[in-house]
Amino acid sequence: MTTAPGLGIGGDLRRLSDGTLGWLGRHLDHFDPFAPGRPAPGPAEREPGGAHRPAKAALELALLTHCWTRLDDAADPRRAEATARVRAIWRHPGFPRLLTADPRAAVQYRLVCAALAPTGTDDAPFRAELARLTPADLSPAGRSPYQRLELRYYADKAGVAHSVEPYADLADRNVLVELPATVLARAARRDRPRGAADRPDEPPVTVPEAYALTHSSFYLSDFARTGPGLPEDAVADAAALVARLLDHCVRHDWWDLAAELVMTQVCLGLDGPGTPEGAAAVDCLARAQRPDGSVPGRSAATRASAADPPAGYFAKAYHTTLVTALMTLLLGAAGAA
């Protein structure tokens, strides 16, 4: 990634980018369930001691390299090394077993694996798993609008036929459109007697709603590659809710959601760091970043300690470090455009 001065994204963002990408590159073995010297993952698809889910971590690394490749055509050796590691994992004969170890995630993991497969994996063992998907696996029946959007996004990228409705219909019923009005209705119903201003600070949405909001923006815009396909007034309402959520995340050091919400601003067509709440989020993440480049957890309340063993530290830190790295990539591409 090129984050040279002149992109207008500031020193904090450059430090976040270099630090997070560097830390991830130094820990590729932790993403690789089949790295030499590593014990084989157990039947529950977890590292020994339950440190982290190997398939999930590998799929997240693949998402980073997939977006990184699209955003930057420079010959960055860090990207090449990470992509080569993803390719090796995808070609390993043991990987399909990890994708299906948890029946609740098996359909999604198989689709994500195929959707994010790097070049050179056309004949990899995981491909056979796609043939096991049934019409029911690829049907919208019984799924929420958000779940149908997620299914369609990865099935389309994987080239798998499905029966999910068009994106325009999914967008009309998405949380990006419906949640802002829901939040206003909740506020109107809430009884706030006099003197209630010092009540505990509460987020305007639930945790599942917050992540459905961010991930919907990723899928509808293909991680900022296109517009979100929402009406202009819906974009404005969603942006206002994102601003409220970012303010809450900054006050409570909720780091991984802060990074995702800044990415959502980009996916909605906004200049994230150019907004007060986006700038505050970047500053919050920069303060959280450790000297080794990692962001030590999803939040201050759940962060890893320097005393944690390496596997335990990785399990707590890798997701937020990776999401922050992806945020910097999206912002760098937007600033260079």
Side-chain angles (χ1 to χ4, degrees):
M1 174 189 177
T2 53
T3 53
L7 294 184
I9 54 179
D12 280 347
L13 197 51
R14 289 192 293 275
R15 181 165 63 85
L16 278 170
S17 181
D18 290 340
T20 53
L21 290 171
W23 186 87
L24 294 169
R26 294 191 299 274
H27 290 80
L28 291 178
D29 277 358
H30 287 273
F31 284 97
D32 186 350
F34 313 109
R38 296 280 301 282
E45 200 227 341
R46 288 183 178 273
E47 290 285 277
H52 71 279
R53 296 178 177 86
K56 182 175 184 294
L59 292 171
E60 290 188 38
L61 180 64
L63 176 63
L64 177 72
T65 59
H66 177 79
C67 292
W68 196 353
T69 299
R70 297 190 318 182
L71 291 165
D72 177 20
D73 58 3
D76 190 322
R78 298 172 302 179
R79 189 189 73 206
E81 185 178 7
T83 302
R85 183 61 65 107
V86 171
R87 185 179 298 109
I89 297 169
W90 263 228
R91 294 192 62 83
H92 195 283
F95 195 47
R97 178 179 61 83
L98 294 186
L99 295 173
T100 58
D102 182 355
R104 297 167 300 178
V107 171
Q108 179 189 4
Y109 278 15
R110 283 182 282 193
L111 288 174
V112 174
C113 176
L116 303 179
T119 56
T121 57
D122 289 344
D123 59 344
F126 76 86
R127 296 283 178 188
E129 289 296 326
L130 293 178
R132 300 178 185 274
L133 296 175
T134 68
D137 291 330
L138 300 163
S139 165
R143 301 176 191 269
S144 69
Y146 165 71
Q147 291 170 330
R148 298 201 296 273
L149 171 63
E150 183 176 50
L151 175 63
R152 171 154 201 148
Y153 178 76
Y154 284 113
D156 282 351
K157 289 183 78 67
V160 174
H162 57 80
S163 54
V164 181
E165 60 264 50
Y167 276 108
D169 295 338
L170 291 167
D172 286 343
R173 292 188 291 275
N174 189 260
V175 291
L176 285 164
V177 173
E178 296 186 343
L179 194 55
T182 301
V183 169
L184 288 176
R186 286 174 187 165
R189 290 195 302 268
R190 188 177 295 134
D191 180 20
R192 291 184 62 86
R194 291 181 184 178
D198 7 349
R199 70 192 308 178
D201 184 20
E202 298 176 356
V205 300
T206 66
V207 172
E209 287 172 338
Y211 287 108
L213 184 81
T214 59
H215 289 206
S216 291
S217 76
F218 304 158
Y219 302 148
L220 286 172
S221 70
D222 194 11
F223 286 85
R225 212 174 190 196
T226 68
L230 302 175
E232 189 172 337
D233 57 343
V235 171
D237 291 342
L241 179 56
V242 167
R244 287 185 59 192
L245 275 168
L246 271 171
D247 180 63
H248 180 86
C249 290
V250 169
R251 289 200 310 273
H252 294 274
D253 286 320
W254 192 351
W255 299 320
D256 81 306
L257 186 56
E260 289 198 12
L261 287 165
V262 174
M263 289 166 59
T264 294
Q265 289 184 308
V266 178
C267 292
L268 292 174
L270 306 176
D271 173 16
T275 66
E277 62 276 1
V282 170
D283 179 67
C284 177
L285 289 163
R287 285 185 279 107
Q289 188 177 33
R290 293 276 177 84
D292 65 359
S294 66
V295 182
R298 290 179 179 265
S299 68
T302 60
R303 64 185 159 194
S305 162
D308 287 338
Y313 188 94
F314 176 85
K316 292 180 182 179
Y318 88 85
H319 172 78
T320 305
T321 303
L322 188 147
V323 169
T324 302
L326 183 53
M327 178 199 77
T328 68
L329 291 168
L330 292 187
L331 291 173

